[in-house]
Amino acid sequence: MVRYYNELTRLEMEQVDKDETVVMIPVGALEQHGNQCPLGTDEIIAEGTARRIKEALDREIPDYPMLIFPLIPVGLSTEHVNFCGSVTLKPDTFYHVLYDICKGLAHHGFRKIAILNCHGGNSPIIQVLSREVRSELGIAVFIINCGAFFGNQAVKDTVTPGNIWDFHGGEMETSMVLAERPETVKLETSEAGIPRKFMGNKTFTVYGPITLGWVSEEWETEDGKPIGIGGDPSGATAEKGNQIYDSFVESILSGLKEIRKWKD
Ligand SMILES: [Zn+2]
């Protein structure tokens, strides 16, 4: 049974099987996503993904033991702070927010935490945290990296041919916001972004073996204006967004079944 952590009473919480229950913590970010998408894009995606995971588990594995923790809406967004509205925690603040939550959950006996991370910039800290918590508190922090599912073929199939740089604030993310909160998207203002300074390189690239802690100003329009997004959002639709969520949820359910068998 999947329930929301903050809706349980103390007495109900006392009855929860702490050894088996997975506490899933959705994590977003508060940062610019181009002209067309809201600052809370990653939060909206995290919330939508968590709810759709719950709906799928209720349907397919109704005895799955899970609690969905309240969403964390601000993360590590250093690369976006020079665009209006972006707010970041410092790396060590973000680490300690997550660490203290894990410690609190461990204190009550939980042994399985799954961080549903919907912002790539958060990933390095979450990886460090997972290992530190395992070593210091002896519990498992599983990492559900939503960014990894953008590589699913069913997700790639939603992207307009030729839109090869699509990721942050692009067609895929914009489609996902359209599927959840269409009133927040201003698609008519969208512009496409490319990593101009890296283009033409083979080895030193945005995600290559030799890279750089880039900032999002390095994602520019064709004519060199900093735009802070990767890809062309103009082809985004809610229908594509729903297809993307379906693929995310299929992958995540497969992982959750395996997590259920994990014994520490
Ligand atoms: Zn995003």
Side-chain angles (χ1 to χ4, degrees), residues 167-207:
F167 84 119
H168 172 79
E171 186 175 1
M172 295 182 290
E173 283 199 328
T174 305
S175 293
M176 295 176 89
V177 180
L178 281 170
E180 284 286 314
R181 297 283 305 280
E183 76 284 4
T184 65
V185 177
K186 315 293 176 320
L187 203 54
E188 67 284 2
T189 66
S190 70
E191 291 178 271
I194 51 174
R196 278 197 337 132
K197 289 182 193 165
F198 295 87
M199 284 169 70
N201 292 358
K202 283 198 175 73
T203 311
F204 169 45
T205 63
V206 266
Y207 291 117

Side-chain angles (χ1 to χ4, degrees), residues 151-166:
N152 289 0
Q153 193 57 47
V155 175
K156 290 201 239 172
D157 288 346
T158 67
V159 177
T160 303
N163 180 17
I164 57 169
W165 295 106
D166 205 77

Side-chain angles (χ1 to χ4, degrees), residues 31 33 41-42 45 118 168-169 173:
E31 62 183 36
H33 277 75
T41 289
D42 294 341
I45 290 173
C118 294
H168 172 79
E173 283 199 328

